[in-house]
Amino acid sequence: MRRSPLYLAATVTVVLCLFPVYWMVTTAFKPSQDIQSYDPRLVPGSWTFRHFQDAVSADGFGLFWRNSILVTLSAVLLALLVALGAAYAVARLRWRGRRQFMLAVFLAQMAPWESLIIPIYIISRDTDMLDRLPTLTLIYFMITLPFTVVVLRGFLASIPPELEEAAQVDGCTRLGAFRRVAFPLLAPGLMATSLFGFITAWNEFTYANFLIIKEQDSRTLPVWLSSFQSTFGTDWGATMAASTLFALPALIIFLVLQRHVTSGLAAGSVKG
């Protein structure tokens, strides 16, 4: 009975968070006349796959999927590689400016990236990097890097350094001890950071819409979703179907890695 208010609050929170997702998915299966009805229903009276067919057959569907996957995976892998070295240097080594470096990382993580649109646009224009996928890759790398460094640093700090020291006593180098002892224990942390980095880069719309202007073939899926709007109105059925397909990769990856993500974030927050 004492925990009933907590359970009630948790239930209300879950319902409020999941209802927009439920409405998106059910709208994707509703016929067009039901979507435009003045009497909306929580459960569709009839179901149709027409909107999914329209979304899949839309111009650029396969191309934009390829662009999003290529840019997102490249940015996440690059962020993991750089952040792993930075996190190890901060968690294991003692050097002048280490605290200032982490302060700069925290400030970069808290800074709103939308405020850098104009400087990044000017730099991209002057270096002839507009309308190119590598530009988006570098931007998504910069966006996901601070969070990745912070989480991996906390996770490395939770691993006893004595494990690596024992391996070094047995003849391993510092790099060999890290690769054989610490790196396998980092798997949950790497999965957690890679998942959140994937979601951040996968959902990003502003830079993809602002920096890819002329080359339509270089756009990503978030920009593609806006193509269902026109001067004649919005095709809500196709929009919701495309949004459902767009959300599936992140949802599937999260469900597969859920246990590792939870343990990774918990372990990464043990030591600051």
Side-chain angles (χ1 to χ4, degrees):
M1 293 298 295
R2 294 180 179 178
R3 295 185 177 182
S4 297
L6 295 178
Y7 293 149
L8 179 60
T11 302
V12 172
T13 303
V14 171
V15 171
L16 291 177
C17 292
L18 292 184
F19 181 76
V21 179
Y22 169 80
W23 192 257
M24 176 186 70
V25 175
T26 55
T27 303
F29 288 99
K30 291 179 180 179
S32 298
Q33 60 271 18
D34 292 346
I35 297 176
Q36 302 294 337
S37 175
Y38 288 99
D39 185 20
R41 297 181 178 180
L42 290 177
V43 180
S46 58
W47 301 75
T48 179
F49 288 93
R50 176 62 183 273
H51 302 309
F52 287 94
Q53 296 174 358
D54 294 340
V56 173
S57 61
D59 294 337
F61 175 77
L63 179 62
F64 295 154
W65 268 87
R66 187 204 67 180
N67 292 343
S68 289
I69 292 175
L70 179 63
V71 170
T72 301
L73 292 182
S74 300
V76 170
L77 291 177
L78 186 60
L80 286 177
L81 181 63
V82 176
L84 187 60
Y88 182 84
V90 173
R92 288 290 188 264
L93 306 180
R94 297 293 180 267
W95 42 279
R96 181 176 299 178
R98 183 168 59 95
R99 294 182 180 274
Q100 291 77 5
F101 172 78
M102 284 305 302
L103 178 61
V105 172
F106 278 111
L107 291 177
Q109 183 180 357
M110 292 185 294
W113 287 99
E114 291 77 8
S115 62
L116 300 178
I117 289 180
I118 295 178
I120 289 178
Y121 175 83
I122 295 175
I123 294 174
S124 302
R125 181 197 61 190
D126 295 343
T127 56
D128 195 24
M129 290 294 289
L130 288 176
D131 298 306
R132 297 187 180 183
L133 289 179
T135 305
L136 286 181
T137 302
L138 291 177
I139 292 173
Y140 295 165
F141 159 70
M142 292 187 298
I143 293 175
T144 57
L145 182 61
F147 174 82
T148 308
V149 172
V150 171
V151 175
L152 287 183
R153 182 254 183 184
F155 197 87
L156 269 171
S158 67
I159 300 177
E162 290 79 11
L163 298 177
E164 297 174 63
E165 294 173 359
Q168 289 179 268
V169 171
D170 292 339
C172 286
T173 62
R174 180 184 291 271
L175 179 61
F178 172 77
R179 182 171 60 87
R180 292 181 172 85
V181 178
F183 186 76
L185 299 177
L186 280 175
L190 292 174
M191 292 181 182
T193 52
S194 61
L195 174 62
F196 283 94
F198 179 89
I199 293 176
T200 301
W202 184 260
N203 293 333
E204 204 284 322
F205 171 81
T206 305
Y207 283 98
N209 187 52
F210 196 73
L211 299 178
I212 307 298
I213 303 173
K214 298 179 181 179
E215 294 294 334
Q216 303 293 326
D217 292 343
S218 297
R219 293 192 170 185
T220 54
L221 280 176
V223 182
W224 170 74
L225 290 177
S226 63
S227 64
F228 296 99
Q229 297 179 352
S230 64
T231 56
F232 300 100
T234 302
D235 188 350
W236 290 111
T239 300
M240 294 302 177
S243 301
T244 302
L245 295 175
F246 174 74
L248 281 179
L251 177 62
I252 293 174
I253 294 176
F254 179 79
L255 292 178
V256 172
L257 303 179
Q258 180 181 7
R259 179 178 302 177
H260 300 287
V261 170
T262 305
S263 61
L265 291 178
S269 61
V270 171
K271 291 185 178 181

